[in-house]
């Protein structure tokens, strides 16, 4: 009966907790959460609620409960060195050590690694530690993306045309970034359709899970500010309607080369999730960024489809035996939509941006899966906070059916909530297909 430590308290971790508890090995779950997630707590034998910075408390909790290994959900504890601390206490983890988590926490580390080992996928880019040379480089690129070299909770990356328009504004933003971060990465802006490829790695073997497309914009039609992700979908054939079969393979090939490069560079095997954000351009697949963890919402698309026992996968990751384990997923389509408070993602000066803790009532959601994110369970029911509240996932033989299952479930949730009704619909997916066709025609 393995004891598993799960770190994290979002809907992603609720989906991980469910995958752990579906195991036929009868595991016991010990969860460590920054704030209590009632969905994870209900699946756990014991929970520790406290800051990720308190590594000593987390180590003591893991040891006193005899945890065999840990699964780390979010990037913050990875960046704090939780995996290094666990390793020192003799507890292996599904999650990279701090220096390997630089794959996510340092944009320049990843771009330089890809460049140094001649791995395809980088756009044109340069890293700057001062403003010297920035103006000249900005002039060389028709459009740019500016990335602070550090963790910014998804808020730091700014794209020309979306967040700013002119070179001068790009320059000003670079100056601002350099006041807070040691470096800024400037990249050529790419046009295409993005997909997330969450790969499982034991450092030597890298296995892809089905590709997913996320929707970052707050409002219908990909309008409004960027968010942590409003929803995502995956298709029955383990491709996406706008992709060619070779696109998934290209993302996996890049990730395999990066896993090998990171070992050659650091002498350590990357054990955990390598989530590649890729973009398909008219010239092929390019790397947008890596995350050192599952995606949120993307984890909710792929974990419910797992046919292989998740505990077996985790053991293969920590023991370096992934080459001997077939990892299989059901051939089904999934649509995930986040239920959010109406004020979620609005700029602070927006008249509707006032956010209060509001009660929601969850009725009959049919066959949909619900994964709790920022919700509190009080004596009289479930309350939202200010962030994404519940991930709702429809799973079916087709995208159309999966989307309907998710929508029906959302209509059973009453309260001052919002979501994106267009995610997973035929109309929006057709726009992606048309966009890709236009690009490929040139
Ligand atoms: N879905 C984007 C992320 O997890 O970072």
């Amino acid at each position: 009966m393995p004891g598993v430590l799960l770190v994290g308290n979002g809907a992603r971790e609720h989906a991980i907790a469910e995958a752990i508890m579906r195991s036929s090995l009868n595991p016991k779950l010990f969860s460590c959460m920054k704030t209590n997630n009632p969905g994870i707590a209900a699946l756990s034998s014991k929970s520790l609620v406290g800051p990720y910075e308190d590594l000593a408390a987390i180590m003591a909790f893991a040891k006193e409960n005899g945890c065999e290994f840990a699964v780390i959900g979010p990037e913050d504890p990875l960046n704090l060195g939780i995996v290094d601390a666990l390793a020192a206490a003799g507890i292996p983890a599904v999650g990279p050590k701090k220096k390997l988590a630089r794959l996510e926490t340092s944009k320049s580390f990843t771009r330089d690694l890809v460049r140094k080992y001649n791995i395809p996928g980088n756009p044109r880019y340069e890293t700057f530690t001062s403003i010297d040379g920035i103006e000249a480089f900005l002039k060389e690129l028709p459009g740019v993306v500016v990335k602070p070299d550090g963790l910014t909770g998804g808020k730091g990356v700014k794209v020309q045309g979306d967040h700013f328009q002119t070179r001068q504004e790009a320059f000003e933003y670079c100056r601002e970034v350099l006041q807070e971060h040691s470096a800024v990465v400037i990249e050529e802006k790419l046009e295409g359709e993005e997909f997330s490829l969450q790969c499982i790695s034991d450092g030597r073997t890298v296995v892809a899970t089905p590709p997913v497309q996320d929707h970052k914009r707050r409002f219908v039609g990909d309008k409004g500010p960027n968010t942590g992700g409003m929803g995502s979908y995956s298709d029955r054939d383990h491709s996406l309607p706008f992709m060619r079969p070779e696109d998934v393979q290209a993302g996996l090939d890049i990730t395999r080369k990066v896993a090998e490069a990171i070992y050659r560079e650091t002498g350590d095997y990357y054990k955990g999730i390598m989530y590649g954000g890729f973009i398909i351009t008219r010239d092929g697949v390019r790397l947008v960024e890596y995350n050192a963890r599952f995606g949120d919402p993307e984890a909710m698309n792929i974990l419910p489809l797992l046919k292989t026992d998740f505990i077996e996968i985790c053991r293969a990751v920590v023991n370096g035996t992934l080459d001997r384990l077939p990892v299989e997923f059901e051939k089904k389509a999934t649509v995930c939509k986040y239920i959010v408070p109406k004020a979620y993602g609005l700029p602070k000066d927006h008249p509707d941006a006032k956010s209060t803790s509001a009660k929601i009532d969850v009725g009959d959601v049919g066959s949909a899966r619900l994964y709790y994110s920022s919700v509190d369970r009080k004596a009289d029911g479930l309350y939202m906070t200010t962030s994404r509240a519940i991930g709702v996932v429809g799973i079916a033989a087709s995208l159309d059916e999966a989307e309907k299952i998710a929508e029906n479930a959302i209509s059973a949730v009453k309260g001052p909530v919002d979501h994106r009704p267009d995610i997973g619909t035929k109309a929006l997916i057709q726009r992606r297909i048309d966009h890709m066709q236009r690009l490929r025609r040139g």
Side-chain angles (χ1 to χ4, degrees):
M1 207 194 284
V4 181
L5 177 75
L6 173 63
V7 179
N9 53 254
R12 166 184 48 208
E13 288 78 23
H14 190 181
I16 296 173
E18 188 192 80
I20 291 169
M21 294 312 286
R22 260 201 334 266
S23 167
S24 61
L25 297 167
N26 204 13
K28 280 185 149 192
L29 183 65
F30 299 94
S31 51
C32 165
M33 301 183 271
K34 207 162 60 172
T35 55
N36 187 56
N37 177 319
I40 299 173
L43 293 169
S44 304
S45 296
K46 246 191 250 172
S47 301
L48 172 73
V49 178
Y52 299 141
E53 283 78 5
D54 196 352
L55 293 180
I58 300 172
M59 292 315 116
F61 179 71
K63 279 200 268 185
E64 90 203 12
N65 291 300
C67 292
E68 178 189 315
F69 61 84
V71 182
I72 316 300
E75 63 277 22
D76 285 342
L78 295 172
N79 192 38
L80 288 164
I82 193 167
V83 174
D84 310 64
L86 283 161
I91 301 172
V94 177
K97 288 185 178 163
K98 185 178 163 94
K99 71 176 175 196
L100 287 90
R102 279 185 292 164
L103 200 59
E104 171 166 1
T105 61
S106 169
K107 305 298 174 204
S108 66
F109 171 78
T110 301
R111 287 289 180 220
D112 292 349
L113 188 79
V114 169
R115 181 185 269 170
K116 177 172 173 185
Y117 288 88
N118 289 319
I119 300 168
N122 264 352
R124 283 193 66 192
Y125 82 98
E126 289 301 336
T127 303
F128 296 88
T129 53
S130 80
I131 54 168
D132 296 343
I134 288 185
E135 262 181 314
F137 188 59
L138 287 173
K139 281 192 192 136
E140 288 178 29
L141 303 176
V144 297
V145 180
V146 178
K147 297 180 171 178
D149 197 20
L151 276 185
T152 56
K155 304 277 182 330
V157 175
K158 293 208 175 173
V159 180
Q160 190 162 10
D162 287 348
H163 305 98
F164 61 85
Q165 303 301 324
T166 64
R167 276 197 193 113
Q168 185 56 33
E169 288 172 283
F171 182 71
E172 292 308 329
Y173 183 55
C174 291
R175 194 199 291 278
E176 201 182 298
V177 168
L178 284 171
Q179 278 160 13
E180 273 186 45
H181 297 267
S182 57
V184 63
V185 181
I186 302 176
E187 299 180 0
E188 160 198 11
K189 181 184 170 183
L190 299 170
E191 192 190 341
E193 282 295 327
E194 293 192 25
F195 67 97
S196 310
L197 193 64
Q198 302 166 91
C199 292
I200 304 165
S201 166
D202 70 2
R204 282 174 278 218
T205 301
V206 177
V207 176
T209 71
V212 181
Q213 190 174 46
D214 185 18
H215 298 71
K216 290 214 179 305
R217 299 294 189 135
R218 172 66 176 79
F219 298 116
V220 165
D222 294 321
K223 302 269 185 332
N226 271 338
T227 67
M230 290 296 293
S232 47
Y233 66 96
S234 70
D235 208 354
R236 179 192 173 141
D237 59 357
H238 297 176
S239 181
L240 291 167
F242 56 85
M243 292 177 88
R244 291 177 173 166
E246 62 266 29
D247 296 330
V248 179
Q249 192 57 46
L252 178 58
D253 287 345
I254 291 172
T255 305
R256 286 187 166 144
K257 290 188 172 112
V258 170
E260 196 188 324
I262 209 166
Y263 172 68
R264 286 170 63 190
E265 194 66 13
T266 65
D268 255 327
Y269 289 117
Y270 187 107
K271 292 174 183 288
I273 307 305
M274 299 174 74
Y275 156 164
F278 293 101
I279 184 165
I280 312 171
T281 70
R282 68 158 59 92
D283 304 318
V285 171
R286 298 283 180 272
L287 174 67
V288 176
E289 63 178 6
Y290 274 106
N291 293 317
R293 51 171 174 82
F294 280 118
D296 188 350
E298 294 96 320
M300 290 182 272
N301 296 94
I302 59 116
L303 289 172
L305 299 183
L306 252 185
K307 292 206 289 191
T308 311
D309 194 308
F310 188 61
I311 296 284
E312 298 287 12
I313 295 176
C314 295
R315 283 181 170 162
V317 167
V318 300
N319 296 330
T321 54
L322 202 51
D323 58 333
R324 284 176 249 155
L325 184 72
V327 178
E328 291 179 328
F329 294 86
E330 282 184 72
K331 291 266 184 186
K332 290 207 169 143
T334 68
V335 174
C336 172
K337 304 195 191 210
Y338 253 118
I339 292 177
V340 301
K342 281 195 191 310
Y344 175 64
L346 297 183
K348 285 195 176 61
D349 55 355
H350 192 282
D352 298 330
K354 270 200 310 321
S355 212
T356 51
S357 162
K359 186 163 182 278
I360 48 175
D361 291 303
V362 180
D364 179 5
V365 297
S367 67
R369 313 281 179 102
L370 294 196
Y371 297 108
Y372 291 155
S373 187
S374 293
V375 286
D376 280 343
R377 193 183 293 289
K378 297 186 182 168
D380 64 337
L382 217 50
Y383 282 77
M384 292 188 291
T385 65
T386 54
S387 196
R388 298 179 293 183
I390 303 179
V392 177
V393 185
I395 302 173
S398 69
L399 276 167
D400 222 25
E401 290 168 76
E403 197 273 334
K404 286 191 175 73
I405 291 169
E407 275 300 316
N408 283 338
I410 289 170
S411 61
V413 178
K414 306 293 179 208
V417 293
D418 200 5
H419 75 289
R420 269 189 59 174
D422 59 339
I423 292 172
T425 58
K426 273 204 171 87
L428 189 55
I429 291 171
Q430 191 58 46
R431 271 180 43 195
R432 313 282 192 231
I433 297 169
D434 294 345
H435 180 211
M436 218 47 252
Q437 279 177 349
R438 264 198 320 277
L439 277 179
R440 282 182 161 137
R441 272 199 305 267

